[in-house]
Amino acid sequence: MSFGVVRRRIASGGSNLFSAQYLRGIRPSISAGRVRSVAEKEILHQCRSFGHVRNISHLFSPGGLASSQSLRVAFSSMQQRPMIQMNGRNFSSDNGDLLDVVVPPLAESITDGTLAKFLKNPGDRVELDEAIAQIETDKVTIDVTSPGAGIIQKFVAKEGDTVEPGTKVAIISKTGEGVTHVAPSEKTSEQAAPQAAPAEKIEKPKAETTVSEKPKPKAPSPPPPKRSATEPQLPPKDRERRVPMTRLRKRVATRLKDSQNTFAMLTTFNEVDMTNLMKLRSDYKDAFVEKHGVKLGLMSGFIKAAVSGLQNQPIINAVIDGDDIIYRDYIDISIAVGTPKGLVVPVIRNADKMNFAEIEKEINTLAKKANDGTISIDEMAGGSFTVSNGGVYGSLLSTPIINPPQSAILGMHSIVSRAVVVGGNVVPRPMMYIALTYDHRLIDGREAVFFLRRIKDVVEDPRRLLLDI
């Protein structure tokens, strides 16, 4: 029985609407004693989507069914309630002309974000799913898109506000009615000006009639809050400007400090002769690009070397969890990428199952997303080991910091031609310092040195990867 059939029979005023004879005609197997319960279930099931079950469930009494008049009143009240939500998008008015732009769900582990900037202005036309604003979270930047096509009527939030999922940030008019091209700050000042004038006129005669009254003393302003010793406030100076930290930068600072406070970090160093790996890239770079469509870089060689080292020293790929050690039977390698907004660490999943071409393609994809600000949280979650290449910025030597919840990180540095002894002769060779910072609570110096030595052997002679020796 559909809702349309019920409504037509109520309007006709039929008295035998829910009689036992009628229900038996629909379901012959129903007995007379079960007529009332079946009718209730039928009506409640058909009307569940309207959310008004309580309006009609009380109309069925134990002794019989409801009258047509009471049912007519119940269904008419259901029709009078407006539905202000369609297709998951909220309308801010009954006529359906205005659309509310709200903050989308951020992530499972992120509860709020900062409204970084608006990409449009009031009066601009936007299309469906077009980006209107950007929300900056602790990890990524998320776009706020338009729920439909129309013209931006006004912004209801300001840049720099802390917003949560579902917070309204703008209103869009589908027809463009009532839209002004005045900025919100200018519009506010224009409205405030005419209201200030009559207020002055009213207060002047009031002041003359209440001369004898003593003005109430103003309450002293509360003293500024005292900052703790951990939050020093530097005095202002000339030629200085104070800029609030971005959420991403604050998150990076917190994680690095937590890493320093948690791990017993120790760093060991070695140097690598890059001659053979650079010759391999020089000899096959053209054929590699022609076949795979991506350039052959040095990073893929170090990723493959790190995979080999982690397979030889599984403790480097493990982590401490309370009183237990978690050994990972997978190798997900994080790569540190510096962006204008801060440091992000996307993850290459199952790097042990990839070849050189697959690794290079994944690195290029993740690096491009990181610089464009379109990388997702899922692409940065997890990771069992990190490789950081400070050599692209010219770093000669450094001690990288562990990326929690990992236990070690490999630091690459710049390639410098230095004089080394080869076969009893002093010759110039392209050399790179490499560093391994590890958690000494879990990893002993022996395992750390063996791991770094394995990377040195594989990079200096890539044929080891082919022969697995």
Side-chain angles (χ1 to χ4, degrees), residues 237-307:
K237 296 181 180 179
D238 295 338
R239 293 177 295 177
E240 288 184 352
R241 51 193 177 93
R242 185 180 296 272
V243 179
M245 291 177 65
T246 62
R247 296 180 68 95
L248 180 59
R249 173 56 59 188
K250 287 190 289 186
R251 179 62 176 170
V252 170
T254 301
R255 284 180 58 84
L256 292 179
K257 188 58 181 175
D258 291 344
S259 175
Q260 191 179 46
N261 295 337
T262 302
F263 300 120
M265 288 189 288
L266 186 63
T267 306
T268 183
F269 304 91
N270 213 319
E271 61 178 358
V272 179
D273 187 347
M274 300 292 295
T275 301
N276 292 330
L277 185 60
M278 294 177 66
K279 185 177 186 303
L280 176 69
R281 184 178 68 166
S282 177
D283 292 343
Y284 296 102
K285 62 179 180 180
D286 295 334
F288 192 86
V289 172
E290 183 179 354
K291 181 175 181 179
H292 301 291
V294 63
K295 293 182 179 180
L296 176 61
L298 298 177
M299 194 69 177
S300 57
F302 276 90
I303 296 293
K304 295 292 290 185
V307 168

Side-chain angles (χ1 to χ4, degrees), residues 35 44 126 134 164 200 205 215 312 341 357 374-375 448:
V35 169
L44 299 183
V126 292
Q134 288 184 340
E164 299 177 352
E200 295 177 357
N312 280 269
K341 294 184 178 181
T374 59
I375 193 167

Side-chain angles (χ1 to χ4, degrees), residues 52-360:
H52 300 284
V53 173
R54 293 184 179 178
N55 289 347
I56 60 175
S57 60
H58 68 279
L59 298 177
F60 300 94
S61 60
L65 297 172
S67 64
S68 60
Q69 181 178 1
S70 59
L71 285 173
R72 187 183 300 112
V73 173
F75 283 107
S76 62
S77 64
M78 290 168 56
Q79 287 182 317
Q80 291 174 0
R81 295 196 178 184
M83 295 183 184
I84 61 174
Q85 186 172 358
M86 298 181 180
N87 299 328
R89 295 190 174 98
N90 294 328
F91 290 79
S92 56
S93 63
D94 292 337
N95 58 10
D97 176 58
L98 301 181
L99 296 173
D100 293 340
V101 182
V102 299
V103 178
L106 302 178
E108 190 172 328
S109 60
I110 299 178
T111 58
D112 58 15
T114 301
L115 183 57
K117 63 178 179 179
F118 284 105
L119 305 178
K120 301 291 183 178
N121 296 316
D124 291 351
R125 178 168 183 81
V126 292
E127 301 299 331
L128 177 65
D129 294 332
E130 185 176 356
I132 294 177
Q134 288 184 340
I135 304 297
E136 188 178 78
T137 67
D138 298 344
K139 299 179 180 179
V140 295
T141 300
I142 299 175
D143 289 337
V144 179
T145 59
S146 171
I151 298 177
I152 299 178
Q153 188 182 58
K154 64 177 180 178
F155 294 143
V156 295
K158 297 182 296 182
E159 294 183 355
D161 288 352
T162 299
V163 294
E164 299 177 352
T167 303
K168 187 195 302 185
V169 298
I171 297 176
I172 293 178
S173 173
K174 294 193 293 184
T175 60
E177 296 179 358
V179 177
T180 59
H181 294 264
V182 181
S185 58
E186 298 176 359
K187 186 176 180 180
T188 304
S189 60
E190 291 176 0
Q191 292 178 351
Q195 292 177 358
E200 295 177 357
K201 295 180 181 179
I202 297 173
E203 289 179 358
K204 286 182 179 179
K206 185 177 179 181
E208 295 175 358
T209 56
T210 58
V211 176
S212 59
E213 296 181 3
K214 296 181 179 180
K216 295 181 180 180
K218 295 183 179 179
S221 59
K226 296 182 179 179
R227 292 181 175 268
S228 61
T230 59
E231 300 178 3
Q233 180 67 43
L234 300 178
K237 296 181 180 179
D238 295 338
R239 293 177 295 177
E240 288 184 352
R241 51 193 177 93
R242 185 180 296 272
V243 179
M245 291 177 65
T246 62
R247 296 180 68 95
L248 180 59
R249 173 56 59 188
K250 287 190 289 186
R251 179 62 176 170
V252 170
T254 301
R255 284 180 58 84
L256 292 179
K257 188 58 181 175
D258 291 344
S259 175
Q260 191 179 46
N261 295 337
T262 302
F263 300 120
M265 288 189 288
L266 186 63
T267 306
T268 183
F269 304 91
N270 213 319
E271 61 178 358
V272 179
D273 187 347
M274 300 292 295
T275 301
N276 292 330
L277 185 60
M278 294 177 66
K279 185 177 186 303
L280 176 69
R281 184 178 68 166
S282 177
D283 292 343
Y284 296 102
K285 62 179 180 180
D286 295 334
F288 192 86
V289 172
E290 183 179 354
K291 181 175 181 179
H292 301 291
V294 63
K295 293 182 179 180
L296 176 61
L298 298 177
M299 194 69 177
S300 57
F302 276 90
I303 296 293
K304 295 292 290 185
V307 168
S308 179
L310 293 173
Q311 290 173 339
N312 280 269
Q313 301 293 330
I315 193 65
I316 308 293
N317 204 40
V319 67
I320 293 178
D321 183 25
D323 295 332
D324 301 325
I325 299 175
I326 299 177
Y327 287 89
R328 302 178 174 114
D329 296 328
Y330 59 90
I331 298 179
D332 292 348
I333 296 186
S334 307
I335 52 173
V337 179
T339 68
K341 294 184 178 181
L343 181 69
V344 296
V345 192
V347 181
I348 301 175
R349 309 285 180 187
N350 300 316
D352 53 323
K353 300 178 181 179
M354 292 184 175
N355 56 30
F356 280 81
E358 292 170 338
I359 292 176
E360 290 292 349

Side-chain angles (χ1 to χ4, degrees), residues 351-385:
D352 53 323
K353 300 178 181 179
M354 292 184 175
N355 56 30
F356 280 81
E358 292 170 338
I359 292 176
E360 290 292 349
K361 290 177 182 179
E362 188 69 8
I363 290 175
N364 290 346
T365 301
L366 295 175
K368 185 177 185 303
K369 287 184 177 181
N371 287 302
D372 295 342
T374 59
I375 193 167
S376 65
I377 295 178
D378 292 338
E379 292 172 317
M380 295 189 296
S384 57
F385 183 77

